[in-house]
Amino acid sequence: MSLDPARPGRPRRSVRPGPHAAAVAALTLAVAAACWPAPADAAPAEKRCSTAGRTLAVVGPKARPESRVWRSRGVTYGCTVLPSGRARTSVLTRVPTGLVRLDGETVAWTTPRGTGDARTDRVSLFDLRWPSRELRAVPAVPATAPGVPRRSARVDALAVASGGDVAWVADGTTVVVGATPDPQAEFTLQGADGTGTPLYRDGSVAVAAVHPADPAVAERLRTSLAIGVVPGDPGDSDGCLYAFASAFRWDAGAGVVEARMRGQRATFGGGCS
């Protein structure tokens, strides 16, 4: 309470707004805030994958990609939009890339080494949802038996499939199949009679076939290499793990050849460790 200058010696009473006046004032402020334009640098309600840099591969519209791989200032990045609606961005490599393939949330790329006739490639595979699920700089030709060394070679064709499958053709002769790490995955080469011959597994990859060195064969391998699912096998899931059967197919000139991989993968969902 203070003295009222209009009436000397008489205290001035402070007037406090009643509940109704306070509500009107709050409503006025709310309306003004809704109508006032947001600042230009305000963060969007939903995070998206960046559209900056030089696009190397993209899934979905370029203006609003579902997944994207790009290079900017010497760094290759990968991003995917998670089921939650948030985007996850990862640094893939700081080394220049060769071939880059993207399907869903799975990206594979080659890393060239050397130049000209001396050039060789390494292959990497990365699941943009799971930073721990990856293959890093795998030699182009893995071991085919115990004690057989891995071998560097050029990669002529590269294929990738959502979920973590990868395949490539090395030196125009060798078909390699693989996936993000699964210690229990089994690789087989399918015979014409429907039986499967086990393939030697070198880590998470296996040599599926070696064909004669011939330019026509190399071209057919390069254009026919593909990854799909085993027909009639939808897989099985318990909510946190699902069993899968992938089919790797190619044609060297004598008809389609198929290798298969069976294993288990974790689902991307809540409640699963």
Side-chain angles (χ1 to χ4, degrees), residues 22-63:
V24 171
L27 179 60
T28 302
L29 290 174
V31 172
C35 297
W36 196 263
D41 59 350
E46 178 183 0
K47 292 186 177 180
R48 306 176 185 175
C49 290
S50 171
T51 56
R54 177 169 64 91
T55 300
L56 303 179
V58 64
V59 174
K62 289 186 177 181

PDB file of all heavy atoms in Angstrom, residues 22-63:
ATOM      1  N   ALA A  22      -8.069 -12.059 -15.433  1.00  0.00           N
ATOM      2  CA  ALA A  22      -6.848 -12.823 -15.678  1.00  0.00           C
ATOM      3  C   ALA A  22      -7.048 -13.811 -16.812  1.00  0.00           C
ATOM      4  O   ALA A  22      -6.174 -14.011 -17.663  1.00  0.00           O
ATOM      5  CB  ALA A  22      -6.427 -13.562 -14.407  1.00  0.00           C
ATOM      6  N   ALA A  23      -8.214 -14.432 -16.864  1.00  0.00           N
ATOM      7  CA  ALA A  23      -8.507 -15.387 -17.929  1.00  0.00           C
ATOM      8  C   ALA A  23      -8.552 -14.707 -19.285  1.00  0.00           C
ATOM      9  O   ALA A  23      -8.060 -15.224 -20.283  1.00  0.00           O
ATOM     10  CB  ALA A  23      -9.832 -16.101 -17.637  1.00  0.00           C
ATOM     11  N   VAL A  24      -9.175 -13.503 -19.323  1.00  0.00           N
ATOM     12  CA  VAL A  24      -9.243 -12.756 -20.584  1.00  0.00           C
ATOM     13  C   VAL A  24      -7.843 -12.384 -21.052  1.00  0.00           C
ATOM     14  O   VAL A  24      -7.501 -12.488 -22.232  1.00  0.00           O
ATOM     15  CB  VAL A  24     -10.116 -11.488 -20.402  1.00  0.00           C
ATOM     16  CG1 VAL A  24     -10.017 -10.599 -21.640  1.00  0.00           C
ATOM     17  CG2 VAL A  24     -11.561 -11.878 -20.142  1.00  0.00           C
ATOM     18  N   ALA A  25      -6.998 -11.960 -20.108  1.00  0.00           N
ATOM     19  CA  ALA A  25      -5.626 -11.588 -20.482  1.00  0.00           C
ATOM     20  C   ALA A  25      -4.863 -12.789 -21.017  1.00  0.00           C
ATOM     21  O   ALA A  25      -4.122 -12.702 -22.004  1.00  0.00           O
ATOM     22  CB  ALA A  25      -4.906 -11.003 -19.266  1.00  0.00           C
ATOM     23  N   ALA A  26      -5.005 -13.947 -20.399  1.00  0.00           N
ATOM     24  CA  ALA A  26      -4.306 -15.153 -20.857  1.00  0.00           C
ATOM     25  C   ALA A  26      -4.769 -15.555 -22.239  1.00  0.00           C
ATOM     26  O   ALA A  26      -3.983 -15.960 -23.102  1.00  0.00           O
ATOM     27  CB  ALA A  26      -4.536 -16.295 -19.865  1.00  0.00           C
ATOM     28  N   LEU A  27      -6.102 -15.450 -22.465  1.00  0.00           N
ATOM     29  CA  LEU A  27      -6.649 -15.786 -23.783  1.00  0.00           C
ATOM     30  C   LEU A  27      -6.119 -14.850 -24.844  1.00  0.00           C
ATOM     31  O   LEU A  27      -5.774 -15.265 -25.959  1.00  0.00           O
ATOM     32  CB  LEU A  27      -8.179 -15.741 -23.724  1.00  0.00           C
ATOM     33  CG  LEU A  27      -8.894 -16.045 -25.052  1.00  0.00           C
ATOM     34  CD1 LEU A  27      -8.538 -17.448 -25.534  1.00  0.00           C
ATOM     35  CD2 LEU A  27     -10.402 -15.898 -24.875  1.00  0.00           C
ATOM     36  N   THR A  28      -6.013 -13.582 -24.519  1.00  0.00           N
ATOM     37  CA  THR A  28      -5.493 -12.594 -25.476  1.00  0.00           C
ATOM     38  C   THR A  28      -4.051 -12.908 -25.856  1.00  0.00           C
ATOM     39  O   THR A  28      -3.669 -12.855 -27.031  1.00  0.00           O
ATOM     40  CB  THR A  28      -5.559 -11.185 -24.870  1.00  0.00           C
ATOM     41  OG1 THR A  28      -6.914 -10.895 -24.521  1.00  0.00           O
ATOM     42  CG2 THR A  28      -5.042 -10.149 -25.857  1.00  0.00           C
ATOM     43  N   LEU A  29      -3.240 -13.268 -24.869  1.00  0.00           N
ATOM     44  CA  LEU A  29      -1.853 -13.615 -25.147  1.00  0.00           C
ATOM     45  C   LEU A  29      -1.754 -14.876 -25.989  1.00  0.00           C
ATOM     46  O   LEU A  29      -0.916 -14.979 -26.894  1.00  0.00           O
ATOM     47  CB  LEU A  29      -1.092 -13.820 -23.832  1.00  0.00           C
ATOM     48  CG  LEU A  29      -0.830 -12.553 -23.014  1.00  0.00           C
ATOM     49  CD1 LEU A  29      -0.192 -12.917 -21.674  1.00  0.00           C
ATOM     50  CD2 LEU A  29       0.069 -11.592 -23.789  1.00  0.00           C
ATOM     51  N   ALA A  30      -2.608 -15.846 -25.730  1.00  0.00           N
ATOM     52  CA  ALA A  30      -2.575 -17.092 -26.493  1.00  0.00           C
ATOM     53  C   ALA A  30      -2.927 -16.855 -27.950  1.00  0.00           C
ATOM     54  O   ALA A  30      -2.309 -17.398 -28.865  1.00  0.00           O
ATOM     55  CB  ALA A  30      -3.546 -18.108 -25.875  1.00  0.00           C
ATOM     56  N   VAL A  31      -3.978 -16.041 -28.189  1.00  0.00           N
ATOM     57  CA  VAL A  31      -4.383 -15.727 -29.560  1.00  0.00           C
ATOM     58  C   VAL A  31      -3.273 -14.987 -30.281  1.00  0.00           C
ATOM     59  O   VAL A  31      -2.958 -15.256 -31.438  1.00  0.00           O
ATOM     60  CB  VAL A  31      -5.684 -14.899 -29.555  1.00  0.00           C
ATOM     61  CG1 VAL A  31      -5.997 -14.398 -30.956  1.00  0.00           C
ATOM     62  CG2 VAL A  31      -6.829 -15.744 -29.009  1.00  0.00           C
ATOM     63  N   ALA A  32      -2.643 -14.026 -29.572  1.00  0.00           N
ATOM     64  CA  ALA A  32      -1.556 -13.267 -30.196  1.00  0.00           C
ATOM     65  C   ALA A  32      -0.388 -14.170 -30.554  1.00  0.00           C
ATOM     66  O   ALA A  32       0.227 -14.037 -31.614  1.00  0.00           O
ATOM     67  CB  ALA A  32      -1.086 -12.162 -29.244  1.00  0.00           C
ATOM     68  N   ALA A  33      -0.075 -15.135 -29.680  1.00  0.00           N
ATOM     69  CA  ALA A  33       1.040 -16.049 -29.956  1.00  0.00           C
ATOM     70  C   ALA A  33       0.735 -16.932 -31.143  1.00  0.00           C
ATOM     71  O   ALA A  33       1.609 -17.250 -31.949  1.00  0.00           O
ATOM     72  CB  ALA A  33       1.332 -16.904 -28.720  1.00  0.00           C
ATOM     73  N   ALA A  34      -0.521 -17.349 -31.278  1.00  0.00           N
ATOM     74  CA  ALA A  34      -0.886 -18.218 -32.395  1.00  0.00           C
ATOM     75  C   ALA A  34      -0.838 -17.480 -33.714  1.00  0.00           C
ATOM     76  O   ALA A  34      -0.518 -18.058 -34.747  1.00  0.00           O
ATOM     77  CB  ALA A  34      -2.290 -18.794 -32.157  1.00  0.00           C
ATOM     78  N   CYS A  35      -1.164 -16.224 -33.720  1.00  0.00           N
ATOM     79  CA  CYS A  35      -1.203 -15.452 -34.958  1.00  0.00           C
ATOM     80  C   CYS A  35       0.161 -14.891 -35.323  1.00  0.00           C
ATOM     81  O   CYS A  35       0.427 -14.612 -36.485  1.00  0.00           O
ATOM     82  CB  CYS A  35      -2.210 -14.305 -34.829  1.00  0.00           C
ATOM     83  SG  CYS A  35      -3.915 -14.879 -34.579  1.00  0.00           S
ATOM     84  N   TRP A  36       1.036 -14.714 -34.338  1.00  0.00           N
ATOM     85  CA  TRP A  36       2.339 -14.118 -34.622  1.00  0.00           C
ATOM     86  C   TRP A  36       3.218 -15.109 -35.338  1.00  0.00           C
ATOM     87  O   TRP A  36       3.318 -16.263 -34.959  1.00  0.00           O
ATOM     88  CB  TRP A  36       2.987 -13.707 -33.300  1.00  0.00           C
ATOM     89  CG  TRP A  36       4.143 -12.756 -33.519  1.00  0.00           C
ATOM     90  CD1 TRP A  36       5.448 -13.077 -33.577  1.00  0.00           C
ATOM     91  CD2 TRP A  36       4.051 -11.350 -33.715  1.00  0.00           C
ATOM     92  NE1 TRP A  36       6.200 -11.970 -33.791  1.00  0.00           N
ATOM     93  CE2 TRP A  36       5.368 -10.883 -33.882  1.00  0.00           C
ATOM     94  CE3 TRP A  36       2.996 -10.442 -33.761  1.00  0.00           C
ATOM     95  CZ2 TRP A  36       5.664  -9.541 -34.106  1.00  0.00           C
ATOM     96  CZ3 TRP A  36       3.273  -9.116 -33.980  1.00  0.00           C
ATOM     97  CH2 TRP A  36       4.594  -8.674 -34.152  1.00  0.00           C
ATOM     98  N   PRO A  37       3.888 -14.749 -36.406  1.00  0.00           N
ATOM     99  CA  PRO A  37       4.697 -15.703 -37.156  1.00  0.00           C
ATOM    100  C   PRO A  37       5.863 -16.218 -36.334  1.00  0.00           C
ATOM    101  O   PRO A  37       6.468 -15.484 -35.554  1.00  0.00           O
ATOM    102  CB  PRO A  37       5.188 -14.872 -38.365  1.00  0.00           C
ATOM    103  CG  PRO A  37       5.105 -13.448 -37.905  1.00  0.00           C
ATOM    104  CD  PRO A  37       3.923 -13.382 -36.988  1.00  0.00           C
ATOM    105  N   ALA A  38       6.164 -17.539 -36.529  1.00  0.00           N
ATOM    106  CA  ALA A  38       7.280 -18.145 -35.810  1.00  0.00           C
ATOM    107  C   ALA A  38       8.584 -17.624 -36.370  1.00  0.00           C
ATOM    108  O   ALA A  38       8.663 -17.234 -37.530  1.00  0.00           O
ATOM    109  CB  ALA A  38       7.217 -19.673 -35.960  1.00  0.00           C
ATOM    110  N   PRO A  39       9.645 -17.575 -35.569  1.00  0.00           N
ATOM    111  CA  PRO A  39      10.930 -17.117 -36.079  1.00  0.00           C
ATOM    112  C   PRO A  39      11.424 -18.023 -37.190  1.00  0.00           C
ATOM    113  O   PRO A  39      11.125 -19.216 -37.230  1.00  0.00           O
ATOM    114  CB  PRO A  39      11.843 -17.191 -34.847  1.00  0.00           C
ATOM    115  CG  PRO A  39      11.148 -18.103 -33.886  1.00  0.00           C
ATOM    116  CD  PRO A  39       9.685 -17.924 -34.154  1.00  0.00           C
ATOM    117  N   ALA A  40      12.223 -17.489 -38.118  1.00  0.00           N
ATOM    118  CA  ALA A  40      12.652 -18.232 -39.301  1.00  0.00           C
ATOM    119  C   ALA A  40      13.502 -19.431 -38.942  1.00  0.00           C
ATOM    120  O   ALA A  40      13.536 -20.420 -39.655  1.00  0.00           O
ATOM    121  CB  ALA A  40      13.418 -17.300 -40.240  1.00  0.00           C
ATOM    122  N   ASP A  41      14.236 -19.404 -37.835  1.00  0.00           N
ATOM    123  CA  ASP A  41      15.126 -20.495 -37.473  1.00  0.00           C
ATOM    124  C   ASP A  41      14.497 -21.459 -36.473  1.00  0.00           C
ATOM    125  O   ASP A  41      15.184 -22.246 -35.840  1.00  0.00           O
ATOM    126  CB  ASP A  41      16.429 -19.939 -36.897  1.00  0.00           C
ATOM    127  CG  ASP A  41      16.176 -19.075 -35.655  1.00  0.00           C
ATOM    128  OD1 ASP A  41      14.997 -18.772 -35.387  1.00  0.00           O
ATOM    129  OD2 ASP A  41      17.157 -18.712 -34.978  1.00  0.00           O
ATOM    130  N   ALA A  42      13.187 -21.412 -36.313  1.00  0.00           N
ATOM    131  CA  ALA A  42      12.527 -22.310 -35.378  1.00  0.00           C
ATOM    132  C   ALA A  42      12.666 -23.747 -35.867  1.00  0.00           C
ATOM    133  O   ALA A  42      12.533 -24.024 -37.052  1.00  0.00           O
ATOM    134  CB  ALA A  42      11.045 -21.952 -35.255  1.00  0.00           C
ATOM    135  N   ALA A  43      12.942 -24.711 -34.956  1.00  0.00           N
ATOM    136  CA  ALA A  43      13.105 -26.111 -35.326  1.00  0.00           C
ATOM    137  C   ALA A  43      11.764 -26.694 -35.732  1.00  0.00           C
ATOM    138  O   ALA A  43      10.740 -26.416 -35.112  1.00  0.00           O
ATOM    139  CB  ALA A  43      13.671 -26.891 -34.140  1.00  0.00           C
ATOM    140  N   PRO A  44      11.720 -27.491 -36.801  1.00  0.00           N
ATOM    141  CA  PRO A  44      10.470 -28.108 -37.218  1.00  0.00           C
ATOM    142  C   PRO A  44       9.985 -29.111 -36.188  1.00  0.00           C
ATOM    143  O   PRO A  44      10.779 -29.666 -35.408  1.00  0.00           O
ATOM    144  CB  PRO A  44      10.842 -28.798 -38.538  1.00  0.00           C
ATOM    145  CG  PRO A  44      12.318 -29.034 -38.426  1.00  0.00           C
ATOM    146  CD  PRO A  44      12.853 -27.866 -37.652  1.00  0.00           C
ATOM    147  N   ALA A  45       8.692 -29.365 -36.181  1.00  0.00           N
ATOM    148  CA  ALA A  45       8.134 -30.290 -35.212  1.00  0.00           C
ATOM    149  C   ALA A  45       8.638 -31.705 -35.452  1.00  0.00           C
ATOM    150  O   ALA A  45       8.771 -32.491 -34.528  1.00  0.00           O
ATOM    151  CB  ALA A  45       6.605 -30.249 -35.282  1.00  0.00           C
ATOM    152  N   GLU A  46       8.939 -32.055 -36.721  1.00  0.00           N
ATOM    153  CA  GLU A  46       9.404 -33.393 -37.062  1.00  0.00           C
ATOM    154  C   GLU A  46      10.783 -33.292 -37.695  1.00  0.00           C
ATOM    155  O   GLU A  46      10.977 -32.578 -38.667  1.00  0.00           O
ATOM    156  CB  GLU A  46       8.444 -34.057 -38.037  1.00  0.00           C
ATOM    157  CG  GLU A  46       8.879 -35.446 -38.481  1.00  0.00           C
ATOM    158  CD  GLU A  46       7.943 -36.036 -39.507  1.00  0.00           C
ATOM    159  OE1 GLU A  46       6.975 -35.355 -39.863  1.00  0.00           O
ATOM    160  OE2 GLU A  46       8.203 -37.154 -39.959  1.00  0.00           O
ATOM    161  N   LYS A  47      11.772 -34.000 -37.159  1.00  0.00           N
ATOM    162  CA  LYS A  47      13.107 -33.961 -37.726  1.00  0.00           C
ATOM    163  C   LYS A  47      13.138 -34.771 -39.015  1.00  0.00           C
ATOM    164  O   LYS A  47      12.524 -35.820 -39.118  1.00  0.00           O
ATOM    165  CB  LYS A  47      14.118 -34.506 -36.725  1.00  0.00           C
ATOM    166  CG  LYS A  47      14.294 -33.624 -35.506  1.00  0.00           C
ATOM    167  CD  LYS A  47      15.405 -34.138 -34.618  1.00  0.00           C
ATOM    168  CE  LYS A  47      15.622 -33.212 -33.429  1.00  0.00           C
ATOM    169  NZ  LYS A  47      16.705 -33.693 -32.542  1.00  0.00           N
ATOM    170  N   ARG A  48      13.883 -34.275 -39.994  1.00  0.00           N
ATOM    171  CA  ARG A  48      13.975 -34.940 -41.290  1.00  0.00           C
ATOM    172  C   ARG A  48      15.429 -35.161 -41.660  1.00  0.00           C
ATOM    173  O   ARG A  48      16.328 -34.533 -41.117  1.00  0.00           O
ATOM    174  CB  ARG A  48      13.301 -34.090 -42.380  1.00  0.00           C
ATOM    175  CG  ARG A  48      11.864 -33.706 -42.082  1.00  0.00           C
ATOM    176  CD  ARG A  48      11.335 -32.783 -43.162  1.00  0.00           C
ATOM    177  NE  ARG A  48       9.995 -32.307 -42.854  1.00  0.00           N
ATOM    178  CZ  ARG A  48       9.340 -31.422 -43.585  1.00  0.00           C
ATOM    179  NH1 ARG A  48       9.910 -30.916 -44.670  1.00  0.00           N
ATOM    180  NH2 ARG A  48       8.120 -31.046 -43.261  1.00  0.00           N
ATOM    181  N   CYS A  49      15.647 -36.056 -42.620  1.00  0.00           N
ATOM    182  CA  CYS A  49      16.993 -36.251 -43.137  1.00  0.00           C
ATOM    183  C   CYS A  49      17.418 -35.006 -43.906  1.00  0.00           C
ATOM    184  O   CYS A  49      16.610 -34.388 -44.605  1.00  0.00           O
ATOM    185  CB  CYS A  49      17.043 -37.471 -44.061  1.00  0.00           C
ATOM    186  SG  CYS A  49      16.861 -39.048 -43.204  1.00  0.00           S
ATOM    187  N   SER A  50      18.672 -34.656 -43.786  1.00  0.00           N
ATOM    188  CA  SER A  50      19.201 -33.474 -44.459  1.00  0.00           C
ATOM    189  C   SER A  50      19.094 -33.614 -45.971  1.00  0.00           C
ATOM    190  O   SER A  50      19.180 -34.714 -46.524  1.00  0.00           O
ATOM    191  CB  SER A  50      20.660 -33.263 -44.058  1.00  0.00           C
ATOM    192  OG  SER A  50      21.260 -32.250 -44.849  1.00  0.00           O
ATOM    193  N   THR A  51      18.920 -32.509 -46.649  1.00  0.00           N
ATOM    194  CA  THR A  51      18.926 -32.488 -48.115  1.00  0.00           C
ATOM    195  C   THR A  51      20.148 -31.725 -48.626  1.00  0.00           C
ATOM    196  O   THR A  51      20.216 -31.377 -49.802  1.00  0.00           O
ATOM    197  CB  THR A  51      17.641 -31.840 -48.663  1.00  0.00           C
ATOM    198  OG1 THR A  51      17.499 -30.520 -48.096  1.00  0.00           O
ATOM    199  CG2 THR A  51      16.417 -32.670 -48.296  1.00  0.00           C
ATOM    200  N   ALA A  52      21.109 -31.458 -47.741  1.00  0.00           N
ATOM    201  CA  ALA A  52      22.310 -30.725 -48.132  1.00  0.00           C
ATOM    202  C   ALA A  52      23.322 -31.666 -48.767  1.00  0.00           C
ATOM    203  O   ALA A  52      23.155 -32.890 -48.765  1.00  0.00           O
ATOM    204  CB  ALA A  52      22.918 -30.046 -46.906  1.00  0.00           C
ATOM    205  N   GLY A  53      24.394 -31.111 -49.303  1.00  0.00           N
ATOM    206  CA  GLY A  53      25.477 -31.906 -49.854  1.00  0.00           C
ATOM    207  C   GLY A  53      25.132 -32.541 -51.187  1.00  0.00           C
ATOM    208  O   GLY A  53      24.096 -32.270 -51.793  1.00  0.00           O
ATOM    209  N   ARG A  54      26.024 -33.432 -51.656  1.00  0.00           N
ATOM    210  CA  ARG A  54      25.845 -34.112 -52.943  1.00  0.00           C
ATOM    211  C   ARG A  54      25.224 -35.484 -52.696  1.00  0.00           C
ATOM    212  O   ARG A  54      25.805 -36.331 -52.026  1.00  0.00           O
ATOM    213  CB  ARG A  54      27.183 -34.251 -53.659  1.00  0.00           C
ATOM    214  CG  ARG A  54      27.125 -35.006 -54.991  1.00  0.00           C
ATOM    215  CD  ARG A  54      28.425 -34.868 -55.744  1.00  0.00           C
ATOM    216  NE  ARG A  54      29.533 -35.480 -55.027  1.00  0.00           N
ATOM    217  CZ  ARG A  54      29.924 -36.750 -55.194  1.00  0.00           C
ATOM    218  NH1 ARG A  54      29.286 -37.534 -56.039  1.00  0.00           N
ATOM    219  NH2 ARG A  54      30.953 -37.227 -54.505  1.00  0.00           N
ATOM    220  N   THR A  55      24.029 -35.695 -53.222  1.00  0.00           N
ATOM    221  CA  THR A  55      23.313 -36.950 -53.008  1.00  0.00           C
ATOM    222  C   THR A  55      24.007 -38.101 -53.715  1.00  0.00           C
ATOM    223  O   THR A  55      24.286 -38.029 -54.913  1.00  0.00           O
ATOM    224  CB  THR A  55      21.863 -36.828 -53.508  1.00  0.00           C
ATOM    225  OG1 THR A  55      21.191 -35.789 -52.790  1.00  0.00           O
ATOM    226  CG2 THR A  55      21.118 -38.133 -53.307  1.00  0.00           C
ATOM    227  N   LEU A  56      24.264 -39.176 -52.981  1.00  0.00           N
ATOM    228  CA  LEU A  56      24.838 -40.392 -53.552  1.00  0.00           C
ATOM    229  C   LEU A  56      23.779 -41.468 -53.760  1.00  0.00           C
ATOM    230  O   LEU A  56      23.887 -42.282 -54.672  1.00  0.00           O
ATOM    231  CB  LEU A  56      25.949 -40.923 -52.643  1.00  0.00           C
ATOM    232  CG  LEU A  56      27.098 -39.957 -52.345  1.00  0.00           C
ATOM    233  CD1 LEU A  56      28.116 -40.609 -51.411  1.00  0.00           C
ATOM    234  CD2 LEU A  56      27.770 -39.505 -53.630  1.00  0.00           C
ATOM    235  N   ALA A  57      22.778 -41.485 -52.895  1.00  0.00           N
ATOM    236  CA  ALA A  57      21.669 -42.429 -53.013  1.00  0.00           C
ATOM    237  C   ALA A  57      20.532 -41.917 -52.151  1.00  0.00           C
ATOM    238  O   ALA A  57      20.762 -41.284 -51.115  1.00  0.00           O
ATOM    239  CB  ALA A  57      22.086 -43.828 -52.572  1.00  0.00           C
ATOM    240  N   VAL A  58      19.300 -42.197 -52.577  1.00  0.00           N
ATOM    241  CA  VAL A  58      18.147 -41.697 -51.828  1.00  0.00           C
ATOM    242  C   VAL A  58      16.973 -42.647 -51.993  1.00  0.00           C
ATOM    243  O   VAL A  58      16.804 -43.279 -53.041  1.00  0.00           O
ATOM    244  CB  VAL A  58      17.757 -40.267 -52.285  1.00  0.00           C
ATOM    245  CG1 VAL A  58      17.293 -40.262 -53.729  1.00  0.00           C
ATOM    246  CG2 VAL A  58      16.706 -39.665 -51.369  1.00  0.00           C
ATOM    247  N   VAL A  59      16.171 -42.778 -50.940  1.00  0.00           N
ATOM    248  CA  VAL A  59      14.916 -43.522 -50.960  1.00  0.00           C
ATOM    249  C   VAL A  59      13.814 -42.539 -50.613  1.00  0.00           C
ATOM    250  O   VAL A  59      13.873 -41.879 -49.583  1.00  0.00           O
ATOM    251  CB  VAL A  59      14.934 -44.691 -49.954  1.00  0.00           C
ATOM    252  CG1 VAL A  59      13.560 -45.356 -49.891  1.00  0.00           C
ATOM    253  CG2 VAL A  59      15.993 -45.710 -50.325  1.00  0.00           C
ATOM    254  N   GLY A  60      12.808 -42.438 -51.483  1.00  0.00           N
ATOM    255  CA  GLY A  60      11.731 -41.495 -51.257  1.00  0.00           C
ATOM    256  C   GLY A  60      11.986 -40.179 -51.964  1.00  0.00           C
ATOM    257  O   GLY A  60      13.002 -40.013 -52.661  1.00  0.00           O
ATOM    258  N   PRO A  61      11.087 -39.212 -51.806  1.00  0.00           N
ATOM    259  CA  PRO A  61      11.241 -37.907 -52.463  1.00  0.00           C
ATOM    260  C   PRO A  61      12.513 -37.201 -52.020  1.00  0.00           C
ATOM    261  O   PRO A  61      12.880 -37.243 -50.846  1.00  0.00           O
ATOM    262  CB  PRO A  61       9.996 -37.129 -52.006  1.00  0.00           C
ATOM    263  CG  PRO A  61       9.038 -38.163 -51.501  1.00  0.00           C
ATOM    264  CD  PRO A  61       9.868 -39.282 -50.977  1.00  0.00           C
ATOM    265  N   LYS A  62      13.203 -36.552 -52.942  1.00  0.00           N
ATOM    266  CA  LYS A  62      14.439 -35.856 -52.592  1.00  0.00           C
ATOM    267  C   LYS A  62      14.194 -34.723 -51.602  1.00  0.00           C
ATOM    268  O   LYS A  62      15.061 -34.408 -50.786  1.00  0.00           O
ATOM    269  CB  LYS A  62      15.104 -35.309 -53.855  1.00  0.00           C
ATOM    270  CG  LYS A  62      15.714 -36.390 -54.735  1.00  0.00           C
ATOM    271  CD  LYS A  62      16.482 -35.791 -55.892  1.00  0.00           C
ATOM    272  CE  LYS A  62      17.141 -36.875 -56.730  1.00  0.00           C
ATOM    273  NZ  LYS A  62      17.917 -36.297 -57.863  1.00  0.00           N
ATOM    274  N   ALA A  63      13.009 -34.105 -51.670  1.00  0.00           N
ATOM    275  CA  ALA A  63      12.709 -33.004 -50.767  1.00  0.00           C
ATOM    276  C   ALA A  63      12.380 -33.488 -49.353  1.00  0.00           C
ATOM    277  O   ALA A  63      12.497 -32.736 -48.390  1.00  0.00           O
ATOM    278  CB  ALA A  63      11.545 -32.176 -51.311  1.00  0.00           C
TER     279      ALA A  63
END
